[in-house]
Amino acid sequence: MVTVSASVVNRFSLQLTFVLFLSVVVVTLFTALLTAPQRDEISEFYLGNRNMSPLRNGLAMCGDYLSAATLLGSTGLVALTGYDGLLYLGGTAVAWMAVLLVVAEPLHNSGRFTLGDTLALRLPRRQRPVRLALAVCTLVITTLYLVAQLIGSVALLTQFVGEPSQAVRTLCVIAIGTIVVVYAALGGMPGATFIQVVKAVMLVSGVAIMAVLVLTRFHWNVNALLSAAARGSGLGQRFLESGLRYGAGTASKLDFFSLELAIVLGLAALPHVVMRLLAPRTNRVLRTSVVWAMGLVGFVCLAAGILGLGATAILGRENIAKIDPRGDATVLLLAQSLGGGLLTALISCLAFVTLLAVAAGLTLAAASSLAHDLYGEVIRKGQATQTEELGVARMAAAVIGVLGMLLALLPWEISTASLAFLAFAIAASAILPALVYSLFWRRFSAHGALLSLYGGLACSVLLVVFSPVLSGSPTSVYPHIDFAWFPLQNPGIVSIPAGFLLGWLGSVLRPQQEPAEYEEFQIRTLVGAAPRAARD
């Protein structure tokens, strides 16, 4: 990445960003410790205060989902590719519809603390192997996503100080990672929720202010904004048509479809999003919370599109590409142009807080799955005390945080977007088939669940290993060698159908021996009587 430190972020912005970020961290850490579980109850650590309003729940869901990639990467994508970038944002905005319409209420009614509880209720005779497979998938997904956030913190730091030395890079990753571990290990769900709500409010407010400034520059005339963006792109009308990134050929079109498929379907199976769906006390609160999350995410995506077009119109596409070919610096360049050093510092602080919030949710989800599913139910076979399980959860949060830091410090050149999109693809290919089949297919069996979980995970990872992400192109991790035979950067178009096919095949070859178990499970997914008593 080309640094923008010389042309965008001056010393004043750097110092102000540090002061603002440190202030937010101190306040949120102090509040997280105050709201942390005071009793050794796993329900409070996993689900927190379940009396929150739908708006607060919606803000927390929005904070859990939207990462710095939305603020930095998506804005840059629109600025550099125009229509194709806007099309990408559309998939991000509609992903919550699949959550609301398909899995939210049945999962809330049948779940307890983790997705493993839902699968165990559906497949009680083989629940331990299924919980183990689910814990493995959860650990892989959350670790990939966590590493993406930590690498993103280094990339953001690059915008201030240029290419950092190894010592500065290490210090940045350790500082961010340690703060994340404190949020998750000590604060639990209450602490993570607070930082996510703060982040969501800051993100919505920040993009709203910048979008208003952009629209004001063009007198609130959208046609004038589009025309100026077309002129600033140097491509004319082509900038407002498909083809700059995803429509150049059949492979790029398939790659875009594969990416959108993974984003739309993967959201419903991301472990930290699933945990958030279990937090509301009632279905009414859950529905309203998801609607709030849909609206907030949609607004942020709309604002990101306006910012991307505004950056092209005001700064010019070529100028942005010269400073940062990936476009990650677009929003900082635009902030400098619109509001000088003060606005640049505010947006920079917002980006760092966004990284913290998403990483905290991921760490908590991974720790909960390892403590509850792996340790509590597989290793201790349900005999662990609440105090014991809570201690394991906090220890697991620290271990996952250290693992994420070590992986983020490896000398590999891989984009944060590639890691994040792989996490979405694994969630959609491995966890989503098991979840959908469990909720809606009577003949689904434990063998089918194991095949879909392990098979979907293996298929996603193998396809990425033999794709242009790792080799065969100038932007690959290993650009000078070529062992890529899979032409797409995202495996979703192949791995997602493969996961569903494996789940179906395993269930057909070894069907469930007790179909009556599904009848009881189906009643619980509809009315939630038994799980509600267990949770409350």
Side-chain angles (χ1 to χ4, degrees):
M1 179 183 295
V2 179
T3 180
V4 302
S5 59
S7 57
V8 174
V9 185
N10 53 33
R11 181 174 295 274
F12 168 74
S13 296
L14 175 61
Q15 294 173 343
L16 184 57
T17 299
F18 178 76
V19 171
L20 291 174
F21 178 68
L22 187 62
S23 301
V24 172
V25 168
V26 170
V27 171
T28 53
L29 276 178
F30 181 71
T31 307
L33 294 176
L34 286 179
T35 59
Q38 302 299 316
R39 297 168 295 178
D40 290 338
E41 293 185 1
I42 56 176
S43 61
E44 190 175 358
F45 183 85
Y46 293 147
L47 300 181
N49 179 8
R50 304 184 67 220
N51 293 319
M52 290 193 301
S53 66
L55 175 57
R56 287 187 64 193
N57 270 309
L59 285 168
M61 290 177 181
C62 175
D64 247 335
Y65 175 58
L66 291 177
S67 66
T70 306
L71 177 64
L72 304 179
S74 299
T75 305
L77 188 63
V78 173
L80 297 179
T81 65
Y83 178 85
D84 286 358
L86 294 173
L87 201 61
Y88 163 78
L89 281 174
T92 303
V94 304
W96 279 96
M97 294 183 64
V99 175
L100 177 64
L101 298 176
V102 179
V103 303
E105 287 193 38
L107 178 63
H108 180 260
N109 286 335
S110 60
R112 191 183 178 198
F113 300 132
T114 66
L115 179 57
D117 291 327
T118 297
L119 297 183
L121 187 65
R122 174 68 174 83
L123 307 166
R125 296 177 182 272
R126 296 289 307 280
Q127 64 164 296
R128 291 190 179 91
V130 173
R131 282 185 187 268
L132 175 60
L134 182 63
V136 171
C137 292
T138 298
L139 181 61
V140 172
I141 292 169
T142 52
T143 301
L144 285 172
Y145 218 152
L146 176 61
V147 171
Q149 304 307 309
L150 295 177
I151 293 178
S153 68
V154 177
L156 187 58
L157 181 66
T158 302
Q159 311 297 340
F160 293 91
V161 300
E163 188 63 32
S165 64
Q166 185 60 38
V168 174
R169 178 189 178 96
T170 303
L171 182 61
C172 177
V173 170
I174 291 177
I176 298 294
T178 302
I179 295 171
V180 166
V181 169
V182 173
Y183 281 131
L186 299 183
M189 179 64 84
T193 297
F194 182 78
I195 181 60
Q196 285 151 2
V197 170
V198 170
K199 167 264 187 88
V201 172
M202 291 178 63
L203 181 61
V204 172
S205 302
V207 297
I209 291 171
M210 288 193 66
V212 168
L213 292 175
V214 169
L215 292 174
T216 302
R217 177 76 67 95
F218 295 94
H219 308 290
W220 293 83
N221 188 328
V222 177
N223 287 331
L225 173 61
L226 293 173
S227 299
R231 291 193 301 271
S233 68
L235 301 171
Q237 190 63 25
R238 282 187 56 212
F239 185 73
L240 303 179
E241 299 173 353
S242 63
L244 286 183
R245 174 160 181 159
Y246 296 114
T250 302
S252 64
K253 291 179 182 178
L254 289 175
D255 208 2
F256 174 71
F257 179 74
S258 182
L259 173 61
E260 292 293 275
L261 193 65
I263 290 174
V264 172
L265 298 181
L267 173 64
L270 287 176
H272 60 302
V273 173
V274 169
M275 277 196 70
R276 184 60 60 186
L277 295 177
L278 297 175
R281 182 171 293 276
T282 65
N283 282 331
R284 183 189 63 80
V285 175
L286 172 67
R287 286 192 299 269
T288 310
S289 299
V290 176
V291 170
W292 269 111
M294 287 173 57
L296 293 168
V297 170
F299 175 79
V300 172
C301 290
L302 176 63
I306 294 173
L307 298 184
L309 293 173
T312 305
I314 296 171
L315 303 171
R317 180 174 178 268
E318 289 188 3
N319 293 330
I320 296 172
K322 285 179 182 178
I323 295 173
D324 184 359
R326 293 182 181 178
D328 291 338
T330 299
V331 71
L332 299 181
L333 290 163
L334 181 62
Q336 177 67 29
S337 175
L338 294 174
L342 177 60
L343 186 58
T344 305
L346 290 172
I347 297 302
S348 302
C349 175
L350 171 58
F352 276 114
V353 174
T354 299
L355 290 167
L356 277 181
V358 174
L362 291 165
T363 305
L364 178 63
S368 300
S369 180
L370 292 180
H372 184 65
D373 292 323
L374 184 59
Y375 179 80
E377 298 296 336
V378 175
I379 297 177
R380 296 283 283 125
K381 299 180 180 180
Q383 300 302 312
T385 64
Q386 293 198 48
T387 302
E388 185 181 352
E389 186 174 321
L390 185 60
V392 172
R394 287 175 167 154
M395 186 181 303
V399 171
I400 292 164
V402 172
L403 176 63
M405 290 182 241
L406 292 176
L407 292 176
L409 290 173
L410 289 178
W412 56 351
E413 293 297 328
I414 188 169
S415 69
T416 59
S418 296
L419 290 174
F421 294 152
L422 176 57
F424 272 86
I426 294 174
S429 305
I431 295 181
L432 184 66
L435 175 59
V436 171
Y437 281 145
S438 293
L439 293 176
F440 303 111
W441 189 28
R442 181 187 303 271
R443 297 176 58 192
F444 188 54
S445 68
H447 194 66
L450 293 174
L451 272 183
S452 64
L453 288 167
Y454 285 127
L457 171 62
C459 183
S460 302
V461 173
L462 286 175
L463 289 178
V464 169
V465 168
F466 295 103
S467 76
V469 172
L470 258 67
S471 69
S473 74
T475 59
S476 301
V477 177
Y478 304 106
H480 302 299
I481 57 177
D482 186 0
F483 50 84
W485 52 262
F486 184 67
L488 307 181
Q489 302 224 5
N490 191 281
I493 196 172
V494 174
S495 60
I496 295 174
F500 278 95
L501 178 62
L502 289 171
W504 171 82
L505 184 62
S507 299
V508 170
L509 293 178
R510 295 182 61 178
Q512 189 76 20
Q513 298 300 317
E514 297 290 341
E517 293 173 350
Y518 177 74
E519 304 294 339
E520 179 183 356
F521 176 80
Q522 189 176 40
I523 293 174
R524 293 178 179 181
T525 61
L526 295 175
V527 301
R532 182 69 58 215
R535 284 199 299 268
D536 296 343

